Every structure is written in structure tokens, then in C-alpha cells.
Amino acid sequence: MKKRRSKLTAEELEKKHQVALNTFVREVWGEIPAETEVKLKSLKAWGFDLIFGLRGGEEAVFVSETEKGREVGDVYEEAGETFEVREIVKELPKGAKLLIRVALEERRGVIRAYYRSARGEETELFVLPAAELLLAYFKKRGFGKLLEAFHSSGLTTEFIQKNGEEGKAYPFEALPPKMRRALREARDVLKKHAGVGRFTLVYFGKNKDDEDRYVVTWLLPTIRLFDVDVAEHVDKLLAALD
């Protein structure tokens, strides 16, 4: 069998090697969480109202997008089904829970939301691509950096933030304080908030306009990003790099 040669030149290989050696990593790994329990206010933060009413003439629990402005007494149709709003839930009944689960379905991340009654009965509230729900949620909460850096979403979600052209990567000893601080804060986010995940940083110095050139990536459990505190920490860390 003929041995394949690299299409990279010796200079390109040397550059790749130099960048690889000076890409700094913070990571914590364990089991990636696939389910979390959330409060009703979280559901509203994502743009949904929880409703008790009738669905197809039978008592049911369902959601409606907040922007549609449903009111008690409304009767409407969606996807061929008839809904009647009896109560827009302000507080969950004692013992009831809202559960969010993430899974890979048809090669992409999917979020399924459930209402679990005090008796343990589960009602599916909605199914949405994780990317769709995350982007809507980031927009609603004003997490501009997460919107800009969003790359892909499955059981984990990846963010990539770049600034400027790549060049010679700086060793750790030559990193400016802002970049060292980002590494420290990323470690704290992973250990104290996200639980598992990975952060990388490679720094290329300043450009002619005195702006930092760098590439950073985050890989975080999708389910953790629905915790507003976690999403806010990551968004602020990305913003601090500018």
C-alpha cells in the first residue's frame, strides 16, 4: 500500500506543532448530565408559559410560547389539535416538578421537557432541537457572546470565539494577565458550576491596532447551559476577552 504524504509544507507543520504545544487546556470530566430539574421561572425565561387546560377536550398540561400572549379562556388550534386555557400556572403544585432531558436523535441534540405531577405521572410539554432552544434562550436573556460563539449542540454544546489572524502562539509565561485570568476563571466555572467540560485558549499576541489575537473554545454539557448562572458566567468570560 502506498504511504500517503502530508499535504502540509514543513513550515506549516512546524506552525501547527508550535500552536499545539501552546494551546492551554482546562478540563474536568465525568458523566455528562442528561437530565435536570428546573423551576417554573426557568421555563418562562426560555419563553414558555405552563398551562393547565383542555387538549382535544381532555384535561391536560401543556405549554405555549409566552410571546403569543395566551389568556385564561382562550381556545385555539395548533397542529390540528384544539387547546383551551383554563389556568396559566404561576406556581407549581406541591410535589410537582419540571424535568428537562437532552438526547441525541437523528444526529442532533434534542431537548424534551416534561411535567411530573405529585403522583409521579409525566406529561411531555415540548420537543425542540437543542440548538433552536438554546439560541432563543440566549437571545431572550441577552447573552450576546454565547449567541456569537455558538457552534454546535448535542449532549454537549461547543462555543468557538476568535479574534484576529493566527500567528506564532505565545507560551504560558508570555501570556498577558487577561489571558491568564481567563484560564483561572474557566477552571472555576468547570469545577464549581458546569461540573464537566473543556476550555482551551491559544494566544497570538496583539495586532497593529493593539487588539489581542486569540482562539478560545468551550465544550459544556448542554443541560447545564439552561442554568442561567452557568450561561451568564460563560458569557461574561467570553466578553472579558474583548
Side-chain angles (χ1 to χ4, degrees):
M1 182 181 292
K2 186 177 180 180
K3 187 177 181 180
R4 292 187 177 182
R5 292 177 177 272
S6 170
K7 294 183 179 180
L8 297 176
T9 64
E11 183 179 353
E12 288 170 334
L13 280 169
E14 176 59 29
K15 179 182 176 182
K16 183 173 286 290
H17 182 255
Q18 195 265 342
V19 168
L21 289 179
N22 292 294
T23 297
F24 306 108
V25 180
R26 291 284 185 261
E27 62 184 342
V28 176
W29 289 110
E31 184 177 354
I32 298 173
E35 177 179 302
T36 190
E37 181 182 326
V38 302
K39 296 180 180 178
L40 182 59
K41 67 178 183 180
S42 294
L43 196 66
K44 291 182 178 294
W46 307 340
F48 293 96
D49 279 326
L50 182 65
I51 294 173
F52 290 165
L54 300 180
R55 182 174 185 172
E58 297 183 358
E59 290 189 357
V61 183
F62 49 93
V63 295
S64 178
E65 294 177 37
T66 306
E67 63 185 27
K68 292 182 178 178
R70 303 295 184 195
E71 296 181 356
V72 173
D74 283 354
V75 178
Y76 62 94
E77 285 192 13
E78 281 188 1
E81 286 191 288
T82 301
F83 297 82
E84 181 179 337
V85 180
R86 293 285 181 87
E87 178 187 356
I88 298 177
V89 182
K90 304 299 182 185
E91 293 184 11
L92 289 177
K94 187 175 181 180
K97 298 178 180 179
L98 290 175
L99 303 174
I100 305 299
R101 295 175 181 143
V102 63
L104 279 177
E105 299 179 16
E106 297 183 349
R107 300 168 298 283
R108 64 180 179 180
V110 171
I111 297 295
R112 292 180 177 270
Y114 297 83
Y115 170 78
R116 181 184 288 169
S117 72
R119 292 178 294 180
E121 300 165 337
E122 288 189 2
T123 301
E124 188 172 86
L125 300 175
F126 63 79
V127 183
L128 284 173
E132 180 180 329
L133 184 54
L134 280 171
L135 291 175
Y137 159 55
F138 294 157
K139 182 179 179 181
K140 185 176 181 66
R141 299 295 301 189
F143 296 145
K145 286 299 180 182
L146 294 184
L147 272 174
E148 293 172 13
F150 180 88
H151 181 64
S152 62
S153 192
L155 297 179
T156 59
T157 293
E158 184 176 22
F159 301 95
I160 302 173
Q161 181 166 295
K162 302 179 180 180
N163 192 61
E165 296 294 324
E166 294 188 12
K168 184 177 180 180
Y170 279 44
F172 181 79
E173 295 75 17
L175 292 182
K178 180 166 65 174
M179 297 298 158
R180 293 193 184 200
R181 183 165 59 250
L183 285 166
R184 290 195 303 270
E185 291 178 355
R187 177 194 58 200
D188 290 343
V189 168
L190 292 172
K191 288 186 175 181
K192 298 177 182 178
H193 302 283
V196 297
R198 188 172 193 263
F199 173 84
T200 72
L201 180 151
V202 55
Y203 179 68
F204 303 107
K206 294 183 178 292
N207 62 18
K208 62 181 181 180
D209 297 318
D210 201 38
E211 297 175 335
D212 290 308
R213 298 177 297 149
Y214 63 86
V215 178
V216 300
T217 68
W218 274 105
L219 192 64
L220 295 163
T222 297
I223 209 78
R224 290 283 188 257
L225 290 165
F226 290 104
D227 182 325
V228 174
D229 288 340
V230 174
E232 186 173 37
H233 272 94
V234 177
D235 189 74
K236 285 183 176 179
L237 193 152
L238 291 175
L241 289 168
D242 286 346

